[in-house]
Amino acid sequence: EAQVTQNPRYLITVTGKKLTVTCSQNMNHEYMSWYRQDPGLGLRQIYYSMNVEVTDKGDVPEGYKVSRKEKRNFPLILESPSPNQTSLYFCASSFSKGGNQPQHFGDGTRLSIL
Amino acid sequence: GENVEQHPSTLSVQEGDSAVIKCTYSDSASNYFPWYKQELGKGPQLIIDIRSNVGEKKDQRIAVTLNKTAKHFSLHITETQPEDSAVYFCAASITGGGADGLTFGKGTHLIIQP
């Protein structure tokens, strides 16, 4: 089954404790991205990756890092999480450049930073 | 950059009636306009999309219209059913205009009243 898998689905942690949210897709997609969803703000892009070893900032990259060492995986790293990063996070992938292709989303990761 | 406005933020309709959600965009170079449906606890899922060389597209009970001159596009759902209750997002992007992903509207919570 074609899917984007995120882990964990839920996480409660404390300020400053490094965490990683994993994302994996099984569709051999080149393009992957991370979004955060906040009430009243919709979906905002954090980082995206055009292909292996190619990443770039989206609209709200501050406080986040990503890496793309393999085509299927695109982890989101919060080196020193803060309460304002409490949010619902979605990973997405598409066949090629994300702007004009259907995006496949994971089911989300709800992060609470205390 | 692109800015997408979506209205209304909440829409309640009687089962069997039609629902219309409207979006406007700011960048006249945008040429790809997808609509996503997000059910509770799930990631957004593409339901229909339209490209700028087409004025209207239909898929069973769902249709999207695009007015490039006015820079707005709309989602129409006819004969609404309880399973249509969800949050709907419009988005816009520019094909070939760079590697950025989609710019999303803030979402519409559609409630189907029995």
Side-chain angles (χ1 to χ4, degrees), chain B residues 76-97:
Chain B
H76 305 253
I77 305 174
T78 59
E79 301 173 11
T80 53
Q81 300 169 4
E83 54 264 37
D84 294 329
S85 292
V87 178
Y88 291 81
F89 292 96
C90 63
S93 72
I94 302 169
T95 302

Side-chain angles (χ1 to χ4, degrees), chain A residues 9 31 35 37 40-43 45 48 50 88 90 97-103 105-107, chain B residues 32 36 38 41-44 46 49 51 89 93 95-102 104-106:
Chain A
R9 292 291 313 277
Y31 186 96
Y35 293 86
Q37 183 177 18
L41 296 178
L43 290 151
Q45 191 181 53
Y48 62 91
M50 295 281 285
L88 179 58
F90 289 99
K97 192 158 56 177
N100 63 348
Q101 295 286 326
Q103 298 278 302
F105 284 84
D107 283 337
Chain B
Y32 175 63
Y36 286 82
Q38 185 179 20
K42 297 286 188 181
L46 179 73
D49 58 9
R51 299 183 189 274
F89 292 96
S93 72
T95 302
D100 290 342
L102 298 162
F104 285 87
K106 290 181 171 47

Side-chain angles (χ1 to χ4, degrees), chain A residues 82-97:
Chain A
S82 61
N84 64 10
Q85 292 177 299
T86 292
S87 187
L88 179 58
Y89 291 86
F90 289 99
C91 180
S93 72
S94 62
F95 179 71
S96 61
K97 192 158 56 177

Side-chain angles (χ1 to χ4, degrees), chain B residues 13-19 37 60-61 77-86 88 110-114:
Chain B
V13 301
Q14 290 294 125
E15 182 178 348
D17 288 350
S18 295
K37 176 183 181 182
Q60 299 182 1
R61 297 186 296 108
I77 305 174
T78 59
E79 301 173 11
T80 53
Q81 300 169 4
E83 54 264 37
D84 294 329
S85 292
Y88 291 81
L110 177 61
I111 302 165
I112 307 302
Q113 303 278 8

Side-chain angles (χ1 to χ4, degrees), chain B residues 31-49:
Chain B
N31 55 10
Y32 175 63
F33 307 93
W35 286 88
Y36 286 82
K37 176 183 181 182
Q38 185 179 20
E39 298 176 335
L40 198 61
K42 297 286 188 181
Q45 185 173 19
L46 179 73
I47 54 172
I48 194 167
D49 58 9

